[in-house]
Amino acid sequence: MWYAIEGYDAPQSLDARLQARPAHLARLNALKDAGRLLLAGPCPAIDAEDPGPAGFSGSIVIAEFETLAAARAWADADPYVDAGVYVRVEVRPFRQVLP
């Protein structure tokens, strides 16, 4: 089943995000290579493609997992969690309708 994982960034966490980004992307690429990633990306903190020093307000990942517990465990092990980038992570089932 698909699960939506939303991470919410801590204030002033851009430097920590940039440091943890390679490890974060490696995990996402592993999901993609396994055919389990629908989409992933950050949410700019301002209305701009490149928010510069304003940074990001969080991220969204939609990926396939066996169970909600497995999705939560994967989210809890994210390098952004370990680095203190995310102050909160929400995981819930997702059902794709379009496209």
Side-chain angles (χ1 to χ4, degrees):
M1 179 165 191
W2 294 109
Y3 293 91
I5 300 169
E6 293 182 77
Y8 296 85
D9 284 22
Q12 309 301 318
S13 61
L14 181 58
D15 288 341
R17 177 183 266 272
L18 294 174
Q19 293 247 349
R21 188 170 188 262
H24 173 78
L25 290 178
R27 295 178 82 235
L28 291 171
N29 278 315
L31 286 176
K32 181 184 73 130
D33 293 346
R36 296 174 42 209
L37 184 65
L38 184 63
L39 67 88
C43 301
I46 60 173
D47 189 13
E49 182 75 22
D50 179 359
F56 299 90
S57 62
S59 302
I60 298 171
V61 173
I62 299 179
E64 186 177 35
F65 294 92
E66 290 287 323
T67 64
L68 178 59
R72 284 188 176 138
W74 186 90
D76 288 345
D78 194 293
Y80 284 174
V81 171
D82 291 338
V85 174
Y86 291 158
V87 292
R88 183 172 100 243
V89 177
E90 294 182 8
V91 181
R92 59 186 181 268
F94 175 81
R95 187 174 64 122
Q96 184 179 7
V97 174
L98 293 171

